[in-house]
Amino acid sequence: MANETRWIIELDIEEVQEERCTRAVARLRRDGTSLEGTGTAHRHPRDLDLARVGDDLAAARALVELASLLQTDAGQVLEKFGAAPPPPPTGPELPA
């Protein structure tokens, strides 16, 4: 029998018109603790006004940060029990 766990991640996205940026916060609550990743996307004055692109980039950056926090947390638990931490993440880097 498989052991299943379900996590729900809250993702809040806010566009700040006067700053020409979009901010995102990804929150994971589990086992009485919470992890939070943040991300932003800035629009250059010459860029098209496409809110979806800013939402996508800010959300992706928040989720990447949340993933990094999860990996750090897992590594700390492993080290606490004398095991080697997981290797650092590899994969596509999102442009700033």
Side-chain angles (χ1 to χ4, degrees):
M1 179 176 176
N3 186 13
E4 292 185 19
T5 302
R6 179 177 299 234
W7 291 350
I8 297 174
I9 297 170
E10 296 173 3
L11 184 59
D12 296 317
I13 301 170
E14 174 187 26
E15 186 176 355
V16 184
Q17 286 288 341
E18 60 274 4
E19 294 180 22
R20 302 179 64 87
C21 77
T22 302
R23 294 187 180 116
V25 179
R27 287 181 197 87
L28 171 64
R29 291 182 179 92
R30 61 185 174 125
D31 304 328
T33 64
S34 180
L35 294 173
E36 183 174 290
T38 60
T40 58
H42 297 273
R43 185 166 45 94
H44 189 276
R46 292 187 303 233
D47 288 347
L48 296 173
D49 187 6
L50 301 172
R52 164 117 189 247
V53 174
D55 290 356
D56 289 354
L57 287 172
R61 291 171 179 154
L63 291 167
V64 165
E65 183 175 301
L66 180 59
S68 178
L69 291 170
L70 280 166
Q71 187 159 17
T72 297
D73 186 59
Q76 290 172 346
V77 170
L78 287 171
E79 285 183 50
K80 181 178 172 181
F81 289 97
T90 59
E93 291 293 322
L94 295 173

